[in-house]
């Protein structure tokens, strides 16, 4: 039996822990199987590159950040289009899958990776997905691996910013990742004790945020903490397409709403305001214990599906249990924060402000 594994899309903590779990399952349960690494995501499959993964390559990588396989982004739209040589990337991948005589391919990735996995599966390749991303926005799973580590990193940063905010009587904006979905901002904001959380799912009014910061000061608060998801936007921009919003930002020399909001707040509240962008700190480094556990669990369960000949699925967490969903069911669907959901509701109930009047 020949089993391939690749990691695709933006990296996150826990990818190596999954590779290790798959490798250890195979060592323990399928001793005749050969595990092949594919470098740089779907890029390696398109080029037809495979290399053997031996026990010594994966046995000791549980706590290692990043991915030992390397990764890349391969936009879904380009998969079926003919490349320069006239052959589509999808056809190259399918041909290389067949040429290398793979029996199963594990793909570790986010929403885009799963869309491409569904394409491969529809072409008859035996694919099993594993849901990674610090954004936690994959449809059909309560949790993706990598998310909890990013929450921990963001909360530690918020805790540190809190003390300097208090010393200087400042308003602090902390921008976290999350372009389309605000899960990271929501969880880190609640766990970090933010006064305001701004999400892509809830367009905000800057006037309302100004009022909230002034109210905080009137109530004797020495500082305000505002957690902003990188994809948050003003309610005035709600009618614009994402590309149009990006254009407006570019014109201002900015890539997110954070610097613009910081400027408005300082000008209109008279309170010194600073912004910190956490950026790739949230994606790099060692996975938390939770993510090592979840990654090991997902990896082991996915390998068990492979041994049972169950393909065309992705593993998922549902109400505490590991389940699996058909790739064709989840591909192209997303999992935004529900503005009327339980987490936003209880956060509002305990006084967290989401920037709406
Ligand atoms: O991994 C997902 C994500 O972190 C998004 O939240 C973010 O917008 C994006 O990756 C940025 O990734 P890159 O700059 O690597 O394309």
């Amino acid at each position: 039996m020949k089993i391939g594994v690749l990691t695709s899309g933006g990296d996150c903590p826990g990818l190596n822990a999954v590779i290790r779990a798959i490798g250890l399952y195979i060592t323990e349960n399928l001793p005749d199987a050969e595990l092949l690494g594919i470098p740089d995501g779907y890029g390696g499959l398109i080029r037809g590159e495979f290399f053997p993964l031996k026990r010594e390559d994966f046995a000791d990588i549980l706590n290692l950040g990043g991915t030992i396989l390397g990764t890349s982004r391969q936009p879904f739209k380009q998969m079926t289009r003919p490349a320069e040589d006239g052959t589509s990337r999808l056809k190259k991948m399918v041909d290389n899958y067949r040429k290398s005589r793979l029996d199963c391919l594990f793909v570790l990735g986010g929403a885009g990776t799963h869309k491409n996995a569904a394409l491969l599966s529809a072409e008859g390749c035996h694919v099993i997905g594993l849901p990674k991303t610090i954004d936690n926005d994959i449809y059909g799973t309560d949790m993706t691996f990598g998310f909890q580590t990013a929450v921990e990193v963001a909360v530690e940063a918020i805790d540190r910013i809190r003390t300097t905010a208090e010393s200087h009587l400042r308003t602090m904006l902390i921008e976290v990742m999350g372009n389309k979905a605000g899960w990271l901002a929501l969880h880190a904001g609640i766990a970090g004790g933010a006064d305001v959380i701004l999400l892509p799912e809830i367009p905000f009014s800057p006037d309302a945020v100004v009022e909230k910061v002034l109210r905080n000061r009137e109530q004797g608060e020495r500082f305000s903490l505002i957690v902003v998801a990188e994809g948050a936007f003003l309610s005035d921009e709600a009618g614009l397409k994402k590309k149009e919003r990006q254009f407006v930002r570019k014109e201002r020399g900015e890539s997110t709403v954070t610097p613009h909001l910081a400027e408005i707040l300082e000008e209109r509240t008279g309170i010194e305001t600073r912004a910190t962008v956490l950026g790739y700190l949230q994606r790099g480094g060692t996975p938390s214990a939770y993510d090592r556990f979840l990654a090991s669990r997902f990896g082991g369960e996915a390998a068990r599906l492979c041994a049972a000949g169950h393909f065309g699925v992705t593993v998922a967490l549902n109400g505490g249990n590991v389940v699996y969903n058909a790739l064709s069911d989840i591909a192209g669907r997303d999992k935004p924060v529900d503005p009327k959901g339980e987490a936003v509701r209880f956060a509002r109930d305990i006084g967290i402000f989401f920037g709406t009047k």
Side-chain angles (χ1 to χ4, degrees):
M1 197 177 190
K2 266 187 169 181
I3 299 169
V5 56
L6 63 82
T7 53
S8 172
D11 72 346
C12 76
L15 286 164
N16 286 327
V18 172
I19 297 167
R20 171 180 175 270
I22 291 171
L24 291 179
Y25 182 98
I26 292 171
T27 312
E28 292 293 319
N29 302 284
L30 303 168
D32 297 331
E34 194 184 346
L35 182 61
L36 298 173
I38 298 166
D40 308 327
Y42 288 115
L45 188 58
I46 292 167
R47 299 190 297 271
E49 293 171 12
F50 302 88
F51 60 92
L53 276 175
K54 302 270 173 248
R55 198 177 194 286
E56 58 270 25
D57 298 322
F58 55 73
D60 208 14
I61 58 172
L62 179 62
N63 56 355
L64 190 65
T67 160
I68 59 163
L69 300 175
T71 187
S72 65
R73 292 192 190 276
Q74 293 289 334
F76 175 73
K77 279 188 195 149
Q78 286 173 14
M79 279 294 160
T80 47
R81 275 189 206 149
E84 298 85 63
D85 60 2
T87 312
S88 75
R89 290 168 175 80
L90 176 62
K91 175 149 182 7
K92 286 180 188 167
M93 291 198 293
V94 175
D95 287 350
N96 288 327
Y97 175 96
R98 299 216 168 104
K99 252 191 253 163
S100 62
R101 300 185 170 281
L102 284 186
D103 297 290
C104 171
L105 172 65
F106 290 108
V107 297
L108 284 56
T113 301
H114 278 78
K115 269 164 87 175
N116 291 337
L119 281 181
L120 282 172
S121 180
E123 292 293 322
C125 302
H126 291 165
V127 186
I128 297 177
L130 291 114
K132 69 93 235 211
T133 167
I134 66 164
D135 296 335
N136 194 32
D137 60 349
I138 299 185
Y139 183 83
T141 185
D142 296 342
M143 190 71 73
T144 55
F145 61 89
F147 174 65
Q148 287 298 341
T149 306
V151 172
E152 296 292 339
V153 170
V155 170
E156 191 191 336
I158 296 168
D159 285 349
R160 288 177 184 277
I161 287 169
R162 170 186 296 276
T163 61
T164 169
E166 182 158 22
S167 310
H168 289 268
L169 294 155
R170 281 175 174 161
T171 299
M172 293 294 206
L173 278 72
I174 302 110
E175 181 184 296
V176 302
M177 278 188 168
N179 216 339
K180 292 190 203 139
W183 292 105
L184 182 52
L186 181 65
H187 283 231
I190 293 171
D195 301 287
V196 180
I197 301 176
L198 302 174
L199 309 175
E201 293 86 347
I202 307 178
F204 69 93
S205 145
D207 297 344
V209 181
V210 166
E211 280 168 28
K212 168 71 177 164
V213 169
L214 288 173
R215 207 157 56 238
N216 269 1
R217 184 51 62 90
E218 278 159 25
Q219 287 170 347
E221 298 287 346
R222 288 179 61 85
F223 63 96
S224 291
L225 292 179
I226 303 177
V227 173
V228 189
E230 64 175 328
F233 56 89
L234 311 175
S235 38
D236 283 357
E237 298 173 321
L240 301 179
K241 293 203 178 97
K242 196 172 154 208
K243 282 235 160 80
E244 293 169 331
R245 281 202 298 272
Q246 280 166 347
F247 180 77
V248 174
R249 302 242 166 89
K250 227 176 184 176
E251 292 281 285
R252 288 201 296 256
E254 295 161 358
S255 58
T256 67
V257 79
T258 310
H260 182 57
L261 178 62
E263 215 177 286
I264 295 176
L265 286 174
E266 183 158 276
E267 205 176 284
R268 304 226 343 241
T269 63
I271 299 170
E272 273 191 334
T273 303
R274 298 286 190 268
T276 306
V277 179
L278 299 185
Y280 297 90
L281 282 175
Q282 299 156 101
R283 275 212 338 225
T286 189
S288 65
Y290 179 93
D291 272 331
R292 292 181 210 185
F293 179 83
L294 183 64
S296 303
R297 194 175 174 198
F298 274 165
E301 292 295 328
R304 212 156 58 82
L305 288 173
C306 165
H310 203 116
F311 306 113
V313 294
T314 186
V315 291
L317 195 66
N318 187 331
N321 300 313
V322 176
V323 297
Y324 51 85
N325 295 317
L327 288 170
S328 55
D329 282 349
I330 65 136
R333 297 172 84 171
D334 51 13
K335 191 186 76 175
V337 171
D338 177 1
K340 294 196 169 69
E342 194 249 359
V344 173
R345 187 174 42 72
F346 89 72
R348 286 192 202 274
D349 286 348
I350 60 170
I352 296 174
F353 189 66
F354 286 86
T356 52
K357 289 210 180 183

